[in-house]
Structure formats: C-alpha cells, structure tokens
Amino acid sequence: MSDHTQFAVGSRKVAMMPRVMKRSLQVAIAAALTAGAVLFVMMINGFLVGRGGSLAGIDVWLAFIKRSDIIGTIILTALVTTAFLYWQRDKERR
C-alpha cells in the first residue's frame, strides 16, 4: 500500500500528499468549520437578541474561541471523528 494519497476537495483532486498530512489537513478543516459554525450561531443570537448591536457576536465568539479548552475539544472531536470514519471505511473494504 502506498503511503501517499490524493487530497480531494469536492470532486476536484488537489494534490498528492502523505496520508498523515492528509489526515492532519482534514482535522484542521473540520476544526475550522466547527469554529465557523459556532461563529454563525453566536452572530444569529446577536441579531435575534438585539443587545449591543449586530456585530456583538464576534466579540463573544473571540472570547469563546480563544479558550484553550474549547480549541482542545474541537480538535479532539475532529481527530476522533476522522479516525472513526477511516476505521469504518477500512472495515467495509474487507
């Protein structure tokens, strides 16, 4: 088995890279998407509640996302999810 694999975004193949780098990139993308989802929820909450203007959610999000326990939880969740999905996919092939 090759230790290099292709990284794909959507249906487009982007580059050949080592498997560990591909997994790390997938974890980083998942963590960024999670942080973006939290920002979206906090911004919508700021609009609906109406306190402190419409962009007050950004300040709350920055205070929230800068906490090391939150970053650790996001990264741990992305790691476990990625590992589980690849483990399941390998089991299906056999």
Side-chain angles (χ1 to χ4, degrees):
M1 200 181 329
S2 174
D3 63 341
H4 280 74
T5 184
Q6 288 186 343
F7 183 75
V9 177
S11 62
R12 178 176 280 163
K13 295 177 182 172
V14 178
M16 290 292 289
M17 60 183 61
R19 290 186 190 277
V20 173
M21 184 176 175
K22 179 180 176 180
R23 303 294 195 282
S24 300
L25 188 58
Q26 288 172 332
V27 167
I29 290 170
L33 287 172
T34 303
V38 171
L39 174 62
F40 177 75
V41 168
M42 289 185 172
M43 290 292 294
I44 294 298
N45 183 39
F47 284 126
L48 293 176
V49 173
R51 59 189 157 135
S54 61
L55 298 178
I58 292 177
D59 296 332
V60 174
W61 178 76
L62 282 174
F64 178 76
I65 210 71
K66 286 182 181 179
R67 293 177 42 189
S68 61
D69 59 331
I70 298 301
I71 296 294
T73 302
I74 289 172
I75 291 173
L76 180 64
T77 303
L79 278 170
V80 169
T81 304
T82 302
F84 177 74
L85 290 175
Y86 276 100
W87 176 69
Q88 284 291 2
R89 191 170 75 173
D90 289 342
K91 291 286 185 184
E92 290 175 356
R93 288 182 185 167
R94 294 181 189 154

Coordinates of all heavy atoms in Angstrom, one line a residue:
M1 N 0.8 -1.2 0.0 CA 0.0 0.0 0.0 C 0.9 1.3 0.0 O 1.9 1.3 0.7 CB -0.9 0.0 1.2 CG -2.1 0.9 1.0 SD -3.3 1.0 2.4 CE -3.2 -0.5 3.3
S2 N 0.5 2.2 -0.8 CA 1.3 3.5 -0.9 C 1.1 4.3 0.3 O 0.0 4.4 0.9 CB 0.8 4.2 -2.2 OG 1.5 5.5 -2.2
D3 N 2.1 5.0 0.7 CA 1.9 6.0 1.8 C 1.6 7.4 1.4 O 1.5 8.3 2.2 CB 3.2 6.0 2.7 CG 4.4 6.5 1.9 OD1 4.4 6.5 0.7 OD2 5.4 6.9 2.6
H4 N 1.3 7.5 0.1 CA 0.8 8.8 -0.5 C -0.6 8.6 -1.0 O -1.0 7.5 -1.4 CB 1.7 9.3 -1.6 CG 3.0 9.9 -1.1 ND1 4.0 9.2 -0.6 CD2 3.4 11.2 -1.1 CE1 5.0 10.0 -0.3 NE2 4.6 11.3 -0.6
T5 N -1.4 9.7 -0.9 CA -2.7 9.6 -1.3 C -3.1 11.0 -1.9 O -2.4 12.0 -1.7 CB -3.7 9.2 -0.2 OG1 -5.0 9.1 -0.7 CG2 -3.7 10.3 0.9
Q6 N -4.2 11.0 -2.6 CA -4.7 12.3 -3.2 C -5.6 12.9 -2.3 O -6.5 12.3 -1.7 CB -5.4 12.0 -4.6 CG -4.4 11.7 -5.7 CD -5.1 11.6 -7.0 OE1 -6.3 11.5 -7.1 NE2 -4.3 11.6 -8.0
F7 N -5.5 14.2 -2.2 CA -6.4 15.1 -1.4 C -7.4 15.7 -2.4 O -7.0 16.2 -3.4 CB -5.6 16.2 -0.6 CG -6.5 17.0 0.3 CD1 -7.0 16.5 1.4 CD2 -6.9 18.2 -0.1 CE1 -7.8 17.2 2.3 CE2 -7.7 19.0 0.7 CZ -8.2 18.5 1.9
A8 N -8.7 15.5 -2.1 CA -9.7 16.0 -2.9 C -10.6 17.0 -2.2 O -10.9 16.8 -1.0 CB -10.6 14.8 -3.4
V9 N -11.0 18.0 -2.9 CA -11.9 19.0 -2.4 C -13.1 19.0 -3.3 O -13.0 19.4 -4.5 CB -11.3 20.4 -2.3 CG1 -12.4 21.4 -1.8 CG2 -10.1 20.4 -1.4
G10 N -14.2 18.4 -2.8 CA -15.4 18.2 -3.7 C -15.1 17.1 -4.7 O -14.6 16.0 -4.3
S11 N -15.2 17.4 -6.0 CA -14.9 16.4 -7.0 C -13.5 16.6 -7.6 O -13.1 15.9 -8.5 CB -16.0 16.3 -8.0 OG -16.0 17.6 -8.7
R12 N -12.8 17.7 -7.2 CA -11.6 18.0 -7.7 C -10.4 17.5 -6.9 O -10.4 17.7 -5.7 CB -11.5 19.6 -7.8 CG -10.1 20.0 -8.4 CD -10.1 21.5 -8.5 NE -10.9 21.9 -9.7 CZ -11.3 23.0 -10.0 NH1 -11.2 24.0 -9.2 NH2 -12.0 23.2 -11.1
K13 N -9.5 16.8 -7.5 CA -8.3 16.3 -6.9 C -7.3 17.4 -6.8 O -6.9 17.9 -7.9 CB -7.8 15.0 -7.6 CG -8.8 13.9 -7.5 CD -8.3 12.7 -8.3 CE -9.3 11.6 -8.2 NZ -9.0 10.5 -9.1
V14 N -6.8 17.7 -5.6 CA -5.9 18.8 -5.5 C -4.4 18.4 -5.6 O -3.7 19.0 -6.4 CB -6.2 19.5 -4.1 CG1 -5.3 20.7 -3.9 CG2 -7.7 20.0 -4.1
A15 N -4.0 17.5 -4.7 CA -2.6 17.2 -4.7 C -2.3 15.8 -4.1 O -3.1 15.3 -3.4 CB -1.8 18.3 -3.8
M16 N -1.1 15.3 -4.4 CA -0.7 14.1 -3.8 C 0.1 14.5 -2.5 O 0.8 15.4 -2.5 CB 0.3 13.3 -4.7 CG -0.4 12.7 -5.9 SD -1.5 11.3 -5.5 CE -0.3 10.1 -5.0
M17 N -0.2 13.7 -1.4 CA 0.5 14.1 -0.2 C 0.5 12.8 0.7 O -0.3 11.9 0.5 CB -0.3 15.2 0.6 CG -1.7 14.9 0.9 SD -2.6 16.3 1.7 CE -2.5 17.5 0.5
P18 N 1.4 12.8 1.7 CA 1.4 11.7 2.6 C 0.1 11.5 3.4 O -0.6 12.5 3.6 CB 2.5 12.0 3.6 CG 3.4 13.0 2.9 CD 2.4 13.7 2.0
R19 N -0.3 10.3 3.8 CA -1.5 10.0 4.5 C -1.7 10.8 5.8 O -2.7 11.3 6.1 CB -1.7 8.6 4.7 CG -1.9 7.7 3.5 CD -2.2 6.3 3.9 NE -2.3 5.5 2.7 CZ -3.3 5.3 1.9 NH1 -4.4 6.0 2.1 NH2 -3.2 4.6 0.8
V20 N -0.6 10.9 6.5 CA -0.6 11.6 7.8 C -0.9 13.1 7.6 O -1.7 13.7 8.3 CB 0.7 11.5 8.5 CG1 0.8 12.3 9.8 CG2 1.0 10.0 8.9
M21 N -0.3 13.7 6.5 CA -0.6 15.1 6.2 C -2.0 15.3 5.8 O -2.7 16.3 6.1 CB 0.3 15.6 5.1 CG 0.2 17.1 4.8 SD 1.4 17.6 3.6 CE 1.0 19.2 3.4
K22 N -2.6 14.3 5.0 CA -4.0 14.4 4.6 C -4.9 14.4 5.8 O -5.8 15.2 5.9 CB -4.3 13.3 3.6 CG -5.7 13.3 3.1 CD -6.0 12.1 2.2 CE -7.4 12.0 1.8 NZ -7.7 10.9 0.9
R23 N -4.6 13.5 6.7 CA -5.5 13.3 7.9 C -5.4 14.6 8.7 O -6.4 15.1 9.2 CB -5.1 12.2 8.8 CG -5.1 10.8 8.1 CD -6.5 10.3 7.7 NE -6.5 8.9 7.4 CZ -6.1 8.3 6.3 NH1 -5.6 9.1 5.3 NH2 -6.3 7.1 6.1
S24 N -4.2 15.2 8.9 CA -4.0 16.4 9.6 C -4.7 17.6 9.0 O -5.3 18.4 9.7 CB -2.5 16.7 9.7 OG -1.8 15.7 10.4
L25 N -4.7 17.6 7.7 CA -5.4 18.7 6.9 C -6.9 18.5 7.1 O -7.6 19.5 7.3 CB -5.0 18.7 5.5 CG -5.5 19.8 4.6 CD1 -5.0 21.2 5.1 CD2 -5.0 19.6 3.2
Q26 N -7.4 17.3 7.1 CA -8.8 17.1 7.3 C -9.2 17.5 8.7 O -10.3 18.0 8.9 CB -9.1 15.6 7.0 CG -9.1 15.3 5.6 CD -9.2 13.8 5.3 OE1 -8.9 13.0 6.2 NE2 -9.7 13.4 4.2
V27 N -8.4 17.2 9.7 CA -8.7 17.6 11.1 C -8.7 19.1 11.2 O -9.6 19.7 11.8 CB -7.7 17.0 12.0 CG1 -7.8 17.6 13.4 CG2 -7.9 15.5 12.1
A28 N -7.8 19.8 10.5 CA -7.7 21.3 10.6 C -9.0 21.9 9.9 O -9.5 22.8 10.4 CB -6.5 21.8 9.9
I29 N -9.4 21.3 8.8 CA -10.6 21.8 8.1 C -11.8 21.6 8.9 O -12.7 22.5 9.1 CB -10.7 21.2 6.7 CG1 -9.6 21.6 5.8 CG2 -12.1 21.4 6.1 CD1 -9.5 20.9 4.5
A30 N -11.9 20.4 9.6 CA -13.1 20.1 10.4 C -13.1 21.1 11.6 O -14.2 21.6 12.0 CB -13.0 18.7 10.9
A31 N -11.9 21.4 12.2 CA -11.9 22.3 13.3 C -12.3 23.7 12.9 O -13.0 24.4 13.6 CB -10.5 22.3 13.9
A32 N -11.8 24.1 11.7 CA -12.2 25.5 11.2 C -13.7 25.6 10.9 O -14.3 26.6 11.2 CB -11.4 25.8 10.0
L33 N -14.3 24.5 10.4 CA -15.7 24.5 10.1 C -16.5 24.5 11.4 O -17.5 25.2 11.5 CB -16.1 23.3 9.3 CG -15.6 23.3 7.8 CD1 -15.9 22.0 7.1 CD2 -16.3 24.4 7.0
T34 N -16.0 23.9 12.4 CA -16.7 23.9 13.7 C -16.7 25.3 14.3 O -17.7 25.8 14.8 CB -16.1 22.9 14.7 OG1 -16.1 21.6 14.1 CG2 -16.8 22.9 16.0
A35 N -15.5 25.9 14.2 CA -15.4 27.3 14.8 C -16.3 28.2 14.0 O -16.9 29.1 14.5 CB -13.9 27.7 14.7
G36 N -16.4 28.0 12.7 CA -17.2 28.9 11.8 C -18.7 28.7 12.2 O -19.5 29.6 12.2
A37 N -19.1 27.4 12.5 CA -20.5 27.1 12.9 C -20.8 27.8 14.2 O -21.9 28.4 14.3 CB -20.7 25.6 12.9
V38 N -19.9 27.8 15.1 CA -20.1 28.5 16.4 C -20.2 30.0 16.2 O -21.1 30.6 16.8 CB -19.0 28.1 17.4 CG1 -19.1 29.0 18.6 CG2 -19.0 26.7 17.8
L39 N -19.4 30.5 15.3 CA -19.5 32.0 15.0 C -20.9 32.3 14.4 O -21.5 33.3 14.8 CB -18.4 32.4 14.0 CG -18.5 33.8 13.5 CD1 -18.4 34.8 14.6 CD2 -17.4 34.1 12.4
F40 N -21.3 31.4 13.5 CA -22.6 31.7 12.9 C -23.7 31.7 13.9 O -24.6 32.5 13.9 CB -22.9 30.6 11.8 CG -24.2 30.7 11.2 CD1 -24.5 31.6 10.3 CD2 -25.3 29.8 11.5 CE1 -25.8 31.7 9.7 CE2 -26.5 29.9 11.0 CZ -26.8 30.9 10.0
V41 N -23.7 30.7 14.8 CA -24.7 30.6 15.9 C -24.7 31.9 16.8 O -25.7 32.4 17.1 CB -24.6 29.3 16.7 CG1 -25.4 29.4 18.0 CG2 -24.9 28.1 15.9
M42 N -23.5 32.3 17.1 CA -23.4 33.5 18.0 C -23.8 34.7 17.3 O -24.3 35.6 17.9 CB -21.9 33.6 18.6 CG -21.7 32.5 19.6 SD -20.0 32.7 20.3 CE -20.1 31.5 21.6
M43 N -23.5 34.8 16.0 CA -23.9 36.0 15.3 C -25.5 36.1 15.1 O -26.1 37.1 15.3 CB -23.3 36.0 13.9 CG -21.8 36.3 13.8 SD -21.4 37.9 14.3 CE -22.1 38.8 13.0
I44 N -26.1 34.9 14.8 CA -27.5 34.9 14.8 C -28.2 35.2 16.1 O -29.1 35.9 16.2 CB -28.0 33.5 14.3 CG1 -27.6 33.2 12.8 CG2 -29.5 33.3 14.4 CD1 -28.1 34.2 11.8
N45 N -27.5 34.7 17.2 CA -28.0 35.0 18.5 C -27.9 36.5 18.8 O -28.8 37.1 19.4 CB -27.2 34.3 19.6 CG -27.7 34.5 21.0 OD1 -28.9 34.6 21.2 ND2 -26.8 34.6 21.9
G46 N -26.8 37.1 18.3 CA -26.7 38.6 18.5 C -27.8 39.4 17.7 O -28.3 40.4 18.2
F47 N -28.1 38.9 16.5 CA -29.2 39.5 15.8 C -30.5 39.4 16.4 O -31.3 40.3 16.5 CB -29.2 39.0 14.3 CG -28.2 39.4 13.4 CD1 -27.4 38.5 12.8 CD2 -27.9 40.8 13.2 CE1 -26.4 39.0 11.9 CE2 -26.9 41.2 12.4 CZ -26.1 40.3 11.7
L48 N -30.8 38.2 16.9 CA -32.1 37.9 17.5 C -32.3 38.6 18.8 O -33.4 39.1 19.1 CB -32.3 36.4 17.6 CG -32.4 35.6 16.3 CD1 -32.5 34.1 16.6 CD2 -33.6 36.1 15.5
V49 N -31.3 38.6 19.7 CA -31.4 39.2 21.0 C -31.4 40.7 20.9 O -32.1 41.4 21.6 CB -30.4 38.7 21.9 CG1 -30.4 39.4 23.3 CG2 -30.6 37.2 22.2
G50 N -30.5 41.2 20.0 CA -30.5 42.7 19.7 C -29.8 43.5 20.8 O -30.0 44.7 20.8
R51 N -29.0 42.9 21.5 CA -28.2 43.7 22.5 C -26.8 44.0 22.0 O -26.1 43.1 21.5 CB -28.2 43.0 23.9 CG -27.5 41.6 23.8 CD -27.7 40.9 25.0 NE -27.5 39.5 24.6 CZ -26.8 38.6 25.2 NH1 -26.2 38.9 26.3 NH2 -26.7 37.4 24.7
G52 N -26.4 45.2 22.1 CA -25.0 45.5 21.8 C -24.7 45.6 20.3 O -23.6 45.6 19.9
G53 N -25.7 45.7 19.5 CA -25.5 45.8 18.0 C -25.4 44.5 17.4 O -25.4 43.4 18.0
S54 N -25.4 44.5 16.1 CA -25.4 43.3 15.3 C -24.1 42.5 15.3 O -24.1 41.3 15.0 CB -25.9 43.6 13.9 OG -24.9 44.5 13.3
L55 N -23.0 43.2 15.5 CA -21.7 42.5 15.5 C -21.2 42.2 16.9 O -20.0 41.8 17.0 CB -20.7 43.4 14.8 CG -21.0 43.7 13.3 CD1 -20.0 44.6 12.7 CD2 -21.1 42.4 12.5
A56 N -22.0 42.2 17.9 CA -21.6 41.9 19.2 C -21.3 40.4 19.3 O -20.5 40.0 20.2 CB -22.7 42.2 20.2
G57 N -21.8 39.6 18.5 CA -21.5 38.1 18.5 C -20.0 37.8 18.2 O -19.5 36.8 18.7
I58 N -19.4 38.7 17.4 CA -17.9 38.5 17.1 C -17.1 38.6 18.4 O -16.2 37.8 18.6 CB -17.5 39.4 16.0 CG1 -18.2 39.1 14.7 CG2 -16.0 39.4 15.9 CD1 -17.8 40.0 13.6
D59 N -17.4 39.6 19.2 CA -16.6 39.7 20.5 C -16.8 38.5 21.4 O -15.9 38.0 22.0 CB -17.0 41.0 21.2 CG -16.6 42.3 20.4 OD1 -15.7 42.2 19.6 OD2 -17.3 43.3 20.5
V60 N -18.0 38.1 21.5 CA -18.3 36.9 22.3 C -17.6 35.7 21.8 O -17.1 34.9 22.5 CB -19.9 36.7 22.4 CG1 -20.2 35.4 23.2 CG2 -20.5 37.9 23.1
W61 N -17.7 35.5 20.4 CA -17.0 34.4 19.8 C -15.5 34.4 20.0 O -14.9 33.4 20.3 CB -17.4 34.4 18.3 CG -16.7 33.3 17.5 CD1 -17.1 32.0 17.5 CD2 -15.6 33.4 16.7 NE1 -16.2 31.2 16.7 CE2 -15.3 32.1 16.2 CE3 -14.7 34.4 16.3 CZ2 -14.2 31.8 15.3 CZ3 -13.7 34.2 15.4 CH2 -13.5 32.9 15.0
L62 N -14.9 35.6 19.8 CA -13.5 35.7 20.0 C -13.1 35.3 21.5 O -12.1 34.6 21.7 CB -13.0 37.1 19.7 CG -12.8 37.4 18.2 CD1 -12.4 38.9 18.0 CD2 -11.7 36.5 17.6
A63 N -13.8 35.7 22.4 CA -13.6 35.4 23.8 C -13.7 33.9 24.0 O -13.0 33.2 24.7 CB -14.5 36.1 24.8
F64 N -14.7 33.3 23.4 CA -15.0 31.9 23.5 C -14.0 31.0 22.8 O -13.4 30.1 23.4 CB -16.4 31.6 22.9 CG -16.8 30.2 22.9 CD1 -17.2 29.6 24.1 CD2 -16.8 29.4 21.7 CE1 -17.6 28.2 24.1 CE2 -17.2 28.1 21.7 CZ -17.6 27.5 22.9
I65 N -13.6 31.4 21.6 CA -12.7 30.6 20.8 C -11.3 30.7 21.2 O -10.5 29.8 20.9 CB -12.9 30.9 19.3 CG1 -12.6 29.7 18.4 CG2 -12.0 32.1 18.8 CD1 -13.7 28.7 18.4
K66 N -10.9 31.7 21.9 CA -9.5 31.8 22.4 C -9.2 30.9 23.6 O -8.0 30.8 24.0 CB -9.2 33.3 22.8 CG -9.1 34.1 21.5 CD -8.7 35.5 21.9 CE -8.6 36.4 20.7 NZ -8.2 37.8 21.0
R67 N -10.2 30.3 24.2 CA -10.0 29.4 25.4 C -9.4 28.1 24.9 O -9.8 27.5 23.9 CB -11.3 29.2 26.1 CG -11.9 30.4 26.7 CD -13.3 30.1 27.3 NE -13.3 28.9 28.1 CZ -14.4 28.3 28.5 NH1 -15.6 29.0 28.4 NH2 -14.4 27.2 29.2
S68 N -8.3 27.7 25.6 CA -7.6 26.5 25.2 C -8.4 25.3 25.3 O -8.3 24.3 24.6 CB -6.3 26.4 26.0 OG -6.6 26.3 27.4
D69 N -9.3 25.2 26.3 CA -10.2 24.0 26.5 C -11.2 23.9 25.3 O -11.4 22.8 24.9 CB -10.9 24.0 27.8 CG -11.8 25.2 28.0 OD1 -11.5 26.3 27.4 OD2 -12.8 25.1 28.7
I70 N -11.6 25.0 24.8 CA -12.5 24.9 23.6 C -11.8 24.5 22.4 O -12.3 23.6 21.6 CB -13.2 26.3 23.4 CG1 -14.0 26.7 24.6 CG2 -14.0 26.3 22.1 CD1 -15.1 25.8 24.9
I71 N -10.6 25.0 22.1 CA -9.8 24.6 21.0 C -9.5 23.1 21.1 O -9.5 22.3 20.1 CB -8.5 25.4 20.9 CG1 -8.9 26.9 20.6 CG2 -7.6 24.9 19.8 CD1 -9.5 27.1 19.3
G72 N -9.1 22.7 22.3 CA -8.7 21.3 22.5 C -9.9 20.4 22.3 O -9.8 19.3 21.7
T73 N -11.1 20.8 22.7 CA -12.3 20.0 22.5 C -12.6 19.9 21.0 O -13.0 18.8 20.5 CB -13.5 20.6 23.2 OG1 -13.2 20.6 24.6 CG2 -14.8 19.7 23.0
I74 N -12.5 21.0 20.3 CA -12.8 21.0 18.8 C -11.8 20.1 18.1 O -12.2 19.3 17.3 CB -12.7 22.4 18.3 CG1 -13.9 23.3 18.7 CG2 -12.6 22.4 16.7 CD1 -13.7 24.7 18.4
I75 N -10.5 20.2 18.4 CA -9.5 19.3 17.7 C -9.7 17.9 18.1 O -9.6 17.0 17.2 CB -8.1 19.8 18.1 CG1 -7.9 21.2 17.4 CG2 -7.0 18.9 17.6 CD1 -6.6 21.9 17.8
L76 N -9.9 17.6 19.4 CA -10.2 16.2 19.8 C -11.4 15.6 19.1 O -11.3 14.4 18.6 CB -10.3 16.1 21.3 CG -10.6 14.7 21.9 CD1 -9.4 13.8 21.6 CD2 -10.9 14.8 23.4
T77 N -12.4 16.3 19.0 CA -13.6 15.8 18.3 C -13.3 15.6 16.8 O -13.8 14.6 16.3 CB -14.8 16.9 18.4 OG1 -15.0 17.1 19.8 CG2 -16.0 16.4 17.7
A78 N -12.6 16.5 16.2 CA -12.3 16.3 14.8 C -11.3 15.1 14.6 O -11.5 14.3 13.6 CB -11.6 17.5 14.2
L79 N -10.4 14.9 15.5 CA -9.5 13.7 15.4 C -10.3 12.4 15.5 O -10.1 11.5 14.8 CB -8.4 13.8 16.5 CG -7.2 14.7 16.2 CD1 -6.4 14.8 17.5 CD2 -6.4 14.1 15.1
V80 N -11.1 12.3 16.6 CA -11.8 11.1 16.8 C -12.8 10.8 15.6 O -12.9 9.7 15.2 CB -12.6 11.2 18.1 CG1 -13.6 10.1 18.3 CG2 -11.6 11.2 19.3
T81 N -13.5 11.8 15.1 CA -14.4 11.6 14.0 C -13.6 11.2 12.8 O -14.1 10.2 12.1 CB -15.2 12.9 13.7 OG1 -15.8 13.3 14.9 CG2 -16.1 12.7 12.6
T82 N -12.5 11.8 12.4 CA -11.7 11.4 11.3 C -11.2 10.0 11.4 O -11.3 9.2 10.5 CB -10.6 12.4 11.1 OG1 -11.1 13.7 10.9 CG2 -9.8 12.0 9.8
A83 N -10.7 9.6 12.6 CA -10.2 8.3 12.8 C -11.3 7.3 12.7 O -11.1 6.2 12.1 CB -9.5 8.2 14.2
F84 N -12.5 7.5 13.3 CA -13.6 6.6 13.2 C -14.1 6.4 11.8 O -14.3 5.2 11.4 CB -14.7 7.1 14.1 CG -15.9 6.3 14.0 CD1 -16.0 5.0 14.7 CD2 -17.1 6.6 13.3 CE1 -17.1 4.2 14.6 CE2 -18.2 5.8 13.2 CZ -18.2 4.6 13.9
L85 N -14.2 7.5 11.0 CA -14.6 7.3 9.7 C -13.7 6.5 8.8 O -14.1 5.6 8.0 CB -14.9 8.7 9.0 CG -16.1 9.5 9.6 CD1 -16.1 10.8 9.0 CD2 -17.3 8.7 9.3
Y86 N -12.4 6.7 9.0 CA -11.4 5.9 8.2 C -11.4 4.5 8.7 O -11.2 3.5 7.9 CB -10.0 6.5 8.3 CG -9.9 7.6 7.2 CD1 -10.0 8.9 7.6 CD2 -9.6 7.3 5.9 CE1 -9.9 9.9 6.6 CE2 -9.5 8.3 4.9 CZ -9.6 9.6 5.3 OH -9.5 10.5 4.3
W87 N -11.5 4.2 10.0 CA -11.6 2.9 10.5 C -12.8 2.1 10.0 O -12.7 1.0 9.6 CB -11.6 2.9 12.0 CG -11.8 1.6 12.7 CD1 -10.8 0.6 12.8 CD2 -12.9 1.1 13.4 NE1 -11.3 -0.4 13.5 CE2 -12.6 -0.2 13.9 CE3 -14.2 1.7 13.7 CZ2 -13.5 -0.9 14.6 CZ3 -15.1 0.9 14.4 CH2 -14.7 -0.4 14.9
Q88 N -13.9 2.8 9.9 CA -15.2 2.2 9.4 C -15.0 1.9 7.9 O -15.4 0.9 7.4 CB -16.4 3.1 9.6 CG -16.9 3.1 11.0 CD -17.5 1.7 11.4 OE1 -17.6 0.8 10.6 NE2 -18.0 1.7 12.6
R89 N -14.4 2.8 7.2 CA -14.2 2.6 5.7 C -13.3 1.4 5.5 O -13.5 0.7 4.6 CB -13.7 3.9 5.1 CG -13.7 3.8 3.6 CD -13.4 5.1 3.0 NE -12.0 5.4 3.1 CZ -11.4 6.4 2.5 NH1 -12.1 7.3 1.9 NH2 -10.1 6.5 2.6
D90 N -12.2 1.3 6.3 CA -11.3 0.2 6.1 C -12.0 -1.2 6.4 O -11.8 -2.2 5.8 CB -10.1 0.3 7.0 CG -9.2 1.4 6.5 OD1 -9.3 1.8 5.3 OD2 -8.3 1.9 7.3
K91 N -12.9 -1.2 7.4 CA -13.7 -2.4 7.8 C -14.6 -2.8 6.7 O -14.9 -3.9 6.4 CB -14.5 -2.2 9.1 CG -13.6 -2.1 10.3 CD -13.1 -3.4 10.6 CE -12.3 -3.3 12.0 NZ -11.7 -4.5 12.3
E92 N -15.2 -1.8 6.0 CA -16.2 -2.1 4.9 C -15.5 -2.7 3.7 O -16.1 -3.5 3.0 CB -16.9 -0.8 4.5 CG -17.9 -0.3 5.5 CD -18.5 1.0 5.1 OE1 -18.1 1.6 4.0 OE2 -19.3 1.5 5.8
R93 N -14.2 -2.4 3.5 CA -13.5 -2.9 2.3 C -13.2 -4.4 2.5 O -13.0 -5.1 1.5 CB -12.2 -2.1 2.1 CG -12.4 -0.7 1.6 CD -11.1 -0.1 1.4 NE -11.3 1.3 1.0 CZ -10.4 2.2 1.0 NH1 -9.1 1.9 1.3 NH2 -10.6 3.5 0.6
R94 N -13.1 -4.9 3.7 CA -12.7 -6.3 3.9 C -13.8 -7.2 3.9 O -14.9 -7.1 3.9 CB -12.0 -6.4 5.3 CG -10.7 -5.7 5.3 CD -10.0 -5.8 6.6 NE -8.9 -4.9 6.6 CZ -8.3 -4.4 7.7 NH1 -8.8 -4.7 8.8 NH2 -7.3 -3.6 7.6

